[in-house]
Amino acid sequence: MFSELDGARSAVTCVVASRNRRGDLLASLPRHEAPVVLVDNGSTDGTVDAVRAAHPEVTVVPLDHNAGALARTLGVERAGTPFVAFTDDDSWWAPGDLARAVEVMRAHPRLGLLAARVLVGEEEEVDPMCSEMAESPLGTDPDLPGPSLLGFAACAALVRTDAFTTAGGFDPVVRFPGEEERLALDLAAAGWGLAYVDEVTVHHHPSVRREPPADRQAGIWRSRLLTAVMRYPARDLAGQLVRALGAGRPGRRGLAGALPRVPAALRRRRVLPASVMTGVRELQK
């Protein structure tokens, strides 16, 4: 528990965004070892009342609509701590590891985001993305505790609140899934480091209430394209469009889903520094 490391409990808040996953929340909330802010994205299954009754210690922020990933930003605004741990309604940090992650952040002042190892399901299989992060072609900067990243999984990330705020948090244009890339890029553009730390663990027991895989892939492509509109130079934006079209039906569906949001994305357009785009291109090889 947090008593193992002085000051960690008061330094971090768990922010959870959820919609219509009452059962998952009631199972995962008791596992969190820090205060929790739950932002409910307009659930219709009684989530808000159930959580307030079962866990009065949780700060519940009910929204009257589905704000997507922006809900996490609203949660950070309510947290009031120097660090925020993002967890989903079906994930939680391993006992003691959130406190250890806070200490890692304190020991590395340029570290804006820490990505933890993820164990999936009752079998506790290592998520394949962890191998990708551990073998990041971006290498390991000498002032960071692990391989450098330009992406992460929001269900298993600890952020420095100042860094998150500086980078603009999650935005209303890119929703779920794939919302992490734009934030990661803006953190890097602001000079913050992102690193994978294999020594701390998050458990993820995927909810049975999930969108079909085909819909998820289309959503990821939609987010990739909107992120490219907001941040990539013209030639890289064109390249991402070509990749989407070459990805078959998921890419084409993603493009169709992105088109209505392009005007909003263009209003937020700010091209990334060359140093960050060099990393993006390295990851796309």
Side-chain angles (χ1 to χ4, degrees):
M1 296 293 289
F2 274 78
S3 58
E4 297 174 5
L5 294 168
D6 265 352
R9 180 178 172 81
S10 62
V12 63
T13 301
C14 292
V15 169
V16 183
S18 183
R19 175 175 168 82
N20 288 336
R21 287 187 179 177
R22 180 181 60 185
D24 296 295
L25 274 171
L26 294 177
S28 64
L29 285 173
R31 298 177 180 269
H32 298 313
E33 295 183 334
V36 177
V37 174
L38 166 66
V39 185
D40 182 77
N41 264 326
S43 291
T44 57
D45 65 349
T47 289
V48 171
D49 290 341
V51 170
R52 283 175 169 166
H55 300 286
E57 75 282 2
V58 172
T59 299
V60 180
V61 181
L63 304 182
D64 60 7
H65 65 288
N66 185 357
L70 181 64
R72 294 198 189 97
T73 302
L74 301 178
V76 173
E77 292 172 358
R78 293 292 295 271
T81 49
F83 303 100
V84 167
F86 292 118
T87 64
D88 283 351
D89 40 37
D90 55 2
S91 70
W92 57 91
W93 290 71
D97 277 14
L98 183 51
R100 282 187 277 276
V102 168
E103 292 306 303
V104 172
M105 295 285 278
R106 284 174 166 164
H108 299 84
R110 193 172 70 85
L111 183 62
L113 183 144
L114 179 155
R117 181 178 66 146
V118 179
L119 300 182
V120 181
E122 297 288 349
E123 300 80 9
E124 297 194 340
E125 296 181 353
V126 178
D127 192 303
M129 71 176 177
C130 294
S131 297
E132 296 179 11
M133 291 191 290
E135 298 168 4
S136 171
L138 302 180
T140 301
D141 290 348
D143 62 342
L144 296 181
S148 294
L149 307 174
L150 286 176
F152 62 98
C155 71
L158 178 67
V159 297
R160 196 178 301 271
T161 302
D162 286 348
F164 179 86
T165 302
T166 299
F170 293 101
D171 64 72
V173 179
V174 182
R175 294 170 64 88
F176 295 125
E179 70 276 11
E180 297 93 344
E181 182 189 4
R182 198 239 86 227
L183 174 59
L185 295 176
D186 283 357
L187 283 167
W192 293 102
L194 298 82
Y196 174 64
V197 177
D198 192 68
E199 293 78 19
V200 293
T201 297
V202 166
H203 294 280
H204 181 208
H205 289 201
S207 174
V208 297
R209 296 180 61 87
R210 299 176 71 83
E211 61 186 344
D215 291 351
R216 179 172 177 80
Q217 287 301 311
I220 288 172
W221 273 110
R222 180 191 66 224
S223 295
R224 286 172 178 165
L225 289 165
L226 289 169
T227 296
V229 171
M230 285 193 284
R231 295 293 180 263
Y232 286 15
R235 72 180 181 94
D236 297 276
L237 170 57
Q240 192 72 306
L241 177 60
V242 170
R243 280 187 286 273
L245 293 174
R249 180 171 171 78
R252 294 193 299 271
R253 285 183 60 197
L255 175 59
L259 286 176
R261 302 182 192 179
V262 166
L266 287 172
R267 287 193 293 271
R268 292 171 173 265
R269 181 168 170 79
R270 186 175 68 249
V271 176
L272 292 165
S275 58
V276 177
M277 281 308 306
T278 297
V280 171
R281 292 169 190 143
E282 180 66 28
L283 292 171
Q284 290 176 344
K285 287 182 179 178

